[in-house]
Amino acid sequence: SFEAAISLLDMLPKEVGQLCHWNRGGDKIYRFASYLPRLEMSCNVQPVTRGILRFQVHLKPVFEWHGRWHGGAEGFWLLVEDGENNRIYHHEYVLFPRRTHPESMDLELSIPAFDPLPPQYYLRAISDSWVSCEMLLPVSFKHVLLPSRQMPYTDLFDLTPLPTTALQEPNY
């Protein structure tokens, strides 16, 4: 799996070679595992209204670029989904070009919120060209305070309009 391949990066190349029973090839396996495209994701959530949430998403590519394997750009599909209802609320294609690697990217998304608010949404990034390279970030709503249901309205007074002569301006 993708997680198992990424876990090889937590080891030393010598340990990777021992794990794969190929001591001389540990460096090569470690290097190829570092080419797997992956992103570090973070998300900040703020309510705009009771029915709309603002997601401020930070994406940072954390893989080693190699022109043979990645070409000129690496693309990811970014999804915001609800784990309880199996719905996708937002999808977007994000492209990381070679010339800007490893610059991070900041996105601002407007996501619908429904009553009752689920405990969390999921932010999923899926590589467009590499099979099974997928990252998942649970976005918790425990700290999010939605505005009240009743919006405060200003009472209107029943007034009679004044004539335009009350402005004491001859142009009117």
Side-chain angles (χ1 to χ4, degrees):
S1 73
F2 181 66
E3 291 82 20
I6 295 303
S7 70
L8 294 175
L9 297 174
D10 295 333
M11 301 179 189
L12 296 172
K14 184 178 179 180
E15 295 172 332
V16 172
Q18 290 172 352
L19 179 70
C20 298
H21 302 291
W22 187 31
N23 291 334
R24 292 184 299 153
D27 290 332
K28 186 178 272 192
I29 294 169
Y30 184 85
R31 189 175 68 244
F32 282 125
S34 72
Y35 295 154
L36 291 173
R38 61 197 185 284
L39 300 174
E40 279 183 3
M41 301 187 298
S42 63
C43 184
N44 183 25
V45 181
Q46 295 175 329
V48 177
T49 65
R50 188 153 184 86
I52 298 175
L53 300 173
R54 177 186 302 140
F55 278 39
Q56 295 170 328
V57 180
H58 181 78
L59 303 173
K60 181 180 181 191
V62 287
F63 59 93
E64 191 176 320
W65 196 282
H66 191 284
R68 179 176 181 191
W69 308 114
H70 300 107
E74 193 64 50
F76 291 88
W77 283 100
L78 186 68
L79 307 172
V80 177
E81 42 188 48
D82 179 5
E84 292 180 352
N85 299 326
N86 295 326
R87 290 197 172 126
I88 296 174
Y89 295 121
H90 184 84
H91 69 280
E92 188 166 335
Y93 188 71
V94 179
L95 194 64
F96 291 94
R98 179 181 188 167
R99 69 179 183 278
T100 62
H101 184 77
E103 282 184 15
S104 59
M105 182 180 295
D106 292 315
L107 302 171
E108 198 162 296
L109 313 174
S110 296
I111 307 296
F114 302 100
D115 280 334
L117 191 64
Q120 62 189 8
Y121 279 178
Y122 294 100
L123 188 65
R124 185 182 304 266
I126 304 170
S127 174
D128 191 40
S129 55
W130 293 66
V131 176
S132 189
C133 286
E134 185 173 314
M135 287 67 53
L136 183 70
L137 175 70
V139 180
S140 176
F141 295 144
K142 290 182 180 177
H143 66 283
V144 175
L145 297 174
L146 294 177
S148 64
R149 291 183 194 274
Q150 299 292 331
M151 296 299 292
Y153 293 104
T154 304
D155 292 330
L156 296 177
F157 295 114
D158 188 23
L159 301 173
T160 54
L162 293 172
T164 54
T165 56
L167 295 175
Q168 298 176 355
E169 181 65 39
N171 292 337
Y172 296 112

